[in-house]
Amino acid sequence: MNAAQPPRTARFIPRGLTPTAEQLAIQLAQHKTVLIDANAGAAKTTTLALRIGEALARNLPPEQILALTFTPEARDVLASRLVQLGVAPALVQRLHILTFEDFARWQLDAIDGNEVRNYDDARLLKQYALQAMDRVGQRYAGKLEQLDLQTHSVALAHFLEVQCQLKAGMALQRDVEFMDLDEIATLLDVPLTDYLTTLEYEALRLDGGAGALFRGPLDASYDLACNLDGGARLAPQLPDYRLVLCDELHDLNEAAFRILDALISRSTCFFVGAGDRDQVIYARLGAHDSYLRERFTERFPKLQRLPLTYSFRHGPHLAHAMAHFKQKPVESALDLHTEIRQAHYQDGDECAQKVIAALKQWQADGHGAEQCAILLRERHQSIALENALIDAGIPYRTPAMAGYLQRDEILFLRGLLAIGLNDFAAIRTPALRMAVVDALVAFSEMDFGPGQLDHFKIQIGKEPSLLGELYLIEAPQRDGVLPDYRSVAASATRRAVIDALAWLGQLDRQQPASSVLHELCERVQLVRTAKRIFVRPYAAEVVQRSVAALLHMAERSALSLQDFWLALNQRETASLSRRGAKSVLIECAAQAKGKEFGHVILPYLQADEFPHPRQPRADEENLFYVAATRARQRLTLLSPADPAQRSSFISKMQLSESAVSAAATLQRQQHHLTSTSAAAGRVYLNASFHEKDQVKALGAQFDMARRAWYVDSGRDLGPFAPWLKK
Ligand SMILES: Nc1ncnc2c1ncn2[C@@H]1O[C@H](COP(=O)(O)OP(=O)(O)OP(=O)(O)O)[C@@H](O)[C@H]1O
């Protein structure tokens, strides 16, 4: 370790903000390993960017700097923050800013040759999962009672999630020499069938140990971690980075930790990592706050922990509310009144209307819809919201999740209606038709060989009216035609669906859609099937709630079956055509990590939704904390009119108390800033978001700390008269 004193002055002077003393300490730190465990919005990403800027300013070649993140979103946020702070884009491009997965793939290239197929979309792995299940069947059928081989696509998706989880936690490396199979599965906390299938899947993937044939999501990190661990073949070949940084350390799992360890254990490497122990929400993938709390310290005893105390995203009102919520100190350095607004509703529809009202108010206050995000606890909540937005003519986007009309359970019902009404052509795009076929297969618990289904889909793409044939093709009596069908896991479900289709086909289309859909769901045993095919009760419940929301929508519409069918398809066309960049974002809270928005709306804050009763309380708290702390100027909380039904998280924020202490802090800060800005000779402007281009063109500058436009007081203020503060 270099014991020299930190340089006294920074060489990197960022654009648009003045680093605090704490930020400077990190920017200039010369400790070998530095860990920042700081609150949401406390400038972790920004400070990592400052550290990179400083290294570049001190002539460290960009290629010797590696910045790792867990998601492409976090990678992009860091890269754009560097540019925002004034690092030349050409230099940013030369830096190695990578997700763990991309870094691992790149390293593994050295031993792979060009033979390995990489699949980013887990669905493409289903063929291998099926083969692995076949092998488990051959090896253990009749020998193990607990074996439960399900081969429909939803069960496969579940299996793929479990194997990912086992690998992220390096659980397959555990010492299990003297344990029985079911003991091991219990130890690893996964169903026995999934454990055995994972073993077969890995044998297949790694070609019995000869080398990887294919990789799905997270497999590269896992393979690299295994390689570095056992035999360490690649360890000496890892590039010699002088500076390694890692953002969002709260997503760290065992595989990634081992990769980091190999990189930063080198004597010439300096490391700065940042995370927030209260933002651990991927426990399912092995993330744990123990890395931030203890593991780093145990592994690197000389580790320096450096603080970032103040939030720069939101003002004291939100900071203090979060301090109460998380029972920890949270302070803000911003002279900004981040408003926390509340509104209450009687039912889900009214909640959607309150969202529209909050959004319209935001726009009326001069802000753009694209600066607003509606963050959901779970995707089923979007149905009423999407409908309300479509009705209000407000464009929205749902980049990280399918819009409600494109979700599996809704596609299944749409597929049944398409067959029953003999109108598959109403589902416009070929991609959606394929998705409908997949959903029908999954929810009818049918079982095809992968090639067969693909063949059928191609035919359907050409001739939509063939959709009804799906059930004929699969029927066992057609064995003679297509003899190699896999055994059907739940033929009762398929039979029920076929019967329901016959019933639907002879129905009067003028009947109310609501009663038809209710009966259809009963007849196809949708709830029971969801419970069976989604091994995790939580996932089954999301499906149920999503279907319930659709049924509610049909009831409210009071439309006939025929008209409801038409309306659904029209809504889809309307929502798909309005997804512009200027639209409001609807996203699940988990996907919003690392991002920030002017206005965050949190709807459906009710006891049975958030915290979700089936999920661990600590994870729910972290998720709420992530969601609420994305807000800069305004946070809108929507909860039931009846206090007894409200989410307990709202009272935990102690909004009245926190508002009092926040107001006092804000006053102090305003006083301080008035004196410092007077000294700095700045005149602040009242320009709204929409006016930013105008004032910028006139020469105004943006103060990131105050989030306000200003001009130097020596200037002619005439052109700025409309925006001068009274
Ligand atoms: N010294 C500063 N002065 C003013 N604003 C700052 C300063 N440092 C950072 N910021 C701003 O603070 C906001 C939050 O910063 P950043 O995204 O780096 O926080 P974070 O700790 O990574 O957040 P999270 O963990 O919630 O993702 C950003 O808008 C950033 O531009």
Side-chain angles (χ1 to χ4, degrees):
M1 188 181 105
N2 188 344
Q5 289 299 307
R8 283 176 33 230
T9 50
R11 287 203 194 164
F12 177 65
I13 309 297
R15 192 169 62 197
L17 57 78
T18 308
T20 60
E22 288 180 343
Q23 284 178 307
L24 268 179
I26 296 165
Q27 180 176 334
L28 299 174
Q30 292 183 20
H31 311 287
K32 179 153 167 48
T33 36
V34 172
L35 197 66
I36 306 157
D37 178 7
N39 292 330
K44 295 182 290 298
T45 305
T46 311
T47 309
L48 292 181
L50 293 174
R51 178 70 186 87
I52 294 174
E54 185 65 24
L56 291 172
R58 291 177 183 276
N59 295 321
L60 189 64
E63 293 78 8
Q64 289 188 20
I65 302 176
L66 171 70
L68 290 168
T69 64
F70 292 86
T71 58
E73 289 84 1
R75 175 197 63 202
D76 297 347
V77 169
L78 179 58
S80 59
R81 194 64 52 88
L82 281 158
V83 175
Q84 211 180 338
L85 293 178
V87 178
L91 275 185
V92 175
Q93 274 192 350
R94 287 171 54 200
L95 292 163
H96 294 180
I97 308 180
L98 298 166
T99 61
F100 270 93
E101 201 52 13
D102 287 343
F103 174 74
R105 279 188 189 174
W106 174 40
Q107 296 311 309
L108 290 164
D109 275 351
I111 50 169
D112 280 345
N114 295 324
E115 302 304 313
V116 183
R117 276 155 288 160
N118 286 314
Y119 298 107
D120 289 321
D121 183 348
R123 280 178 302 183
L124 300 172
L125 297 168
K126 285 181 182 170
Q127 48 175 324
Y128 300 110
L130 277 169
Q131 289 176 37
M133 281 183 190
D134 278 347
R135 288 188 178 189
V136 174
Q138 285 157 13
R139 210 182 286 266
Y140 300 103
K143 297 181 196 151
L144 288 175
E145 263 179 35
Q146 307 96 310
L147 215 55
D148 179 22
L149 289 168
Q150 303 257 8
T151 56
H152 50 76
S153 62
V154 178
L156 292 178
H158 172 80
F159 158 72
L160 289 168
E161 201 176 290
V162 170
Q163 59 86 31
C164 221
Q165 183 185 327
L166 287 173
K167 289 189 270 185
M170 302 295 283
L172 300 177
Q173 268 56 43
R174 302 267 288 261
D175 175 4
V176 293
E177 188 183 356
F178 298 109
M179 295 173 81
D180 291 337
L181 289 174
D182 49 353
E183 278 175 353
I184 304 172
T186 308
L187 172 80
L188 303 182
D189 198 21
V190 294
L192 176 63
T193 310
D194 286 333
Y195 172 62
L196 295 176
T197 313
T198 302
L199 296 183
E200 295 298 340
Y201 179 86
E202 283 302 283
L204 201 70
R205 191 177 72 78
L206 300 172
D207 198 14
L213 294 175
F214 65 92
R215 292 199 178 97
L218 295 193
D219 276 340
S221 304
Y222 172 67
D223 286 348
L224 180 59
C226 290
N227 183 296
L228 295 170
D229 241 25
R233 277 184 296 156
L234 279 175
Q237 292 177 39
L238 286 183
D240 252 332
Y241 290 107
R242 279 286 282 173
L243 178 60
V244 171
L245 306 103
C246 185
D247 200 3
E248 310 262 311
L249 268 179
H250 38 263
D251 287 338
L252 201 58
N253 57 35
E254 192 57 31
F257 186 68
R258 292 188 193 186
I259 295 173
L260 260 191
D261 187 6
L263 282 164
I264 63 187
S265 297
R266 296 182 165 194
S267 59
T268 50
C269 179
F270 288 74
F271 172 72
V272 187
D276 175 0
R277 63 180 70 176
D278 289 305
Q279 291 188 51
V280 175
I281 56 171
Y282 289 123
R284 196 162 53 71
L285 288 178
H288 203 274
D289 64 4
S290 59
Y291 293 101
L292 279 166
R293 284 179 192 276
E294 303 112 19
R295 291 289 299 281
F296 268 102
T297 320
E298 284 163 10
R299 181 67 192 87
F300 305 101
K302 292 189 177 162
L303 175 101
Q304 279 292 322
R305 290 177 178 270
L306 295 180
L308 285 176
T309 312
Y310 298 98
S311 167
F312 279 95
R313 177 170 300 135
H314 35 256
H317 287 79
L318 183 50
H320 290 201
M322 285 298 113
H324 283 292
F325 181 72
K326 272 291 183 185
Q327 300 284 297
K328 66 172 182 179
V330 186
E331 285 298 342
S332 164
L334 284 191
D335 153 40
L336 173 75
H337 182 173
T338 302
E339 300 169 272
I340 303 181
R341 295 187 173 190
Q342 286 208 68
H344 305 296
Y345 54 83
Q346 294 294 344
D347 58 26
D349 293 326
E350 201 189 346
C351 180
Q353 291 312 319
K354 298 276 177 186
V355 169
I356 303 289
L359 192 53
K360 286 189 169 165
Q361 186 58 55
W362 174 249
Q363 291 176 303
D365 292 341
H367 306 288
E370 70 282 4
Q371 274 298 307
C372 181
I374 305 166
L375 300 183
L376 310 176
R377 168 62 191 83
E378 200 36 88
R379 62 189 172 88
H380 71 267
Q381 296 175 332
S382 84
I383 296 191
L385 285 175
E386 289 187 59
N387 283 330
L389 288 163
I390 294 172
D391 290 342
I394 300 176
Y396 67 92
R397 59 194 198 282
T398 57
M401 60 179 182
Y404 80 88
L405 286 164
Q406 292 94 42
R407 295 191 192 136
D408 286 345
E409 59 277 12
I410 307 297
L411 286 174
F412 170 57
L413 289 173
R414 290 176 72 192
L416 294 179
L417 292 180
I419 298 174
L421 300 174
N422 199 10
D423 188 17
F424 197 36
I427 297 174
R428 293 282 157 77
T429 66
L432 271 175
R433 285 188 205 145
M434 309 287 148
V436 165
V437 173
D438 278 335
L440 284 168
V441 169
F443 280 86
S444 307
E445 298 200 74
M446 293 192 287
D447 213 350
F448 290 105
Q452 269 175 316
L453 191 55
D454 291 345
H455 178 65
F456 182 68
K457 283 190 197 164
I458 291 168
Q459 287 185 318
I460 283 275
K462 290 188 204 141
E463 183 45 67
S465 64
L466 283 177
L467 182 65
E469 306 275 310
L470 180 67
Y471 293 91
L472 294 178
I473 297 172
E474 209 271 342
Q477 59 266 36
R478 297 280 303 268
D479 269 356
V481 183
L482 291 163
D484 58 344
Y485 288 138
R486 305 171 67 84
S487 62
V488 179
S491 57
T493 310
R494 182 174 50 82
R495 173 64 32 215
V497 173
I498 292 171
D499 291 348
L501 282 170
W503 166 79
L504 196 60
Q506 50 75 47
L507 216 62
D508 175 4
R509 297 174 178 204
Q510 296 313 315
Q511 285 208 29
S514 156
S515 57
V516 174
L517 280 171
H518 266 106
E519 186 160 352
L520 184 62
C521 289
E522 285 295 314
R523 284 176 178 260
V524 299
Q525 305 168 358
L526 189 53
V527 172
R528 263 180 36 205
T529 309
K531 279 191 182 149
R532 194 165 47 239
I533 62 183
F534 288 92
V535 183
R536 285 195 305 143
Y538 173 73
E541 201 176 302
V542 170
V543 168
Q544 279 176 49
R545 291 192 190 202
S546 176
V547 170
L550 185 83
L551 293 181
H552 176 71
M553 172 185 164
E555 201 170 308
R556 256 189 87 228
S557 76
L559 291 172
S560 68
L561 179 61
Q562 177 68 38
D563 292 344
F564 186 69
W565 170 246
L566 290 176
L568 273 189
N569 294 312
Q570 278 165 2
R571 271 178 188 273
E572 178 159 71
T573 313
S575 70
L576 292 178
S577 66
R578 288 204 200 122
R579 298 184 167 202
K582 296 258 172 211
S583 49
V584 60
L585 175 75
I586 306 182
E587 194 155 64
C588 285
Q591 260 85 50
K593 219 152 42 69
K595 302 180 189 167
E596 56 184 24
F597 310 93
H599 183 191
V600 168
I601 303 178
L602 301 183
Y604 303 110
L605 295 179
Q606 53 196 61
D608 55 346
E609 295 273 349
F610 205 178
H612 193 285
R614 282 182 190 279
Q615 298 298 95
R617 173 82 184 191
D619 292 5
E620 292 294 297
E621 275 186 16
N622 287 354
L623 191 58
F624 182 81
Y625 169 76
V626 167
T629 53
R630 299 307 97 199
R632 281 199 305 249
Q633 282 113 305
R634 189 176 297 170
L635 173 68
T636 298
L637 307 171
L638 301 176
S639 62
D642 176 2
Q645 287 182 33
R646 289 181 197 156
S647 163
S648 55
F649 290 165
I650 298 186
S651 59
K652 236 184 145 212
M653 285 193 275
Q654 301 192 19
L655 290 173
S656 315
E657 290 88 334
S658 58
V660 173
S661 62
T665 306
L666 200 57
Q667 214 174 13
R668 275 200 310 277
Q669 273 161 357
Q670 276 166 350
H671 175 73
H672 173 72
L673 275 168
T674 311
S675 46
T676 51
S677 65
R682 289 177 176 181
V683 177
Y684 283 89
L685 307 174
N686 262 332
S688 74
F689 181 77
H690 288 313
E691 293 161 334
K692 70 177 189 331
D693 292 334
Q694 246 177 307
V695 290
K696 193 175 170 186
L698 290 169
Q701 290 171 282
F702 193 65
D703 180 333
M704 295 269 270
R706 296 185 78 165
R707 301 204 181 280
W709 291 91
Y710 70 90
V711 281
D712 293 332
S713 51
R715 285 190 57 150
D716 171 14
L717 295 179
F720 299 98
W723 300 287
L724 289 179
K725 293 192 175 184
K726 299 278 178 303

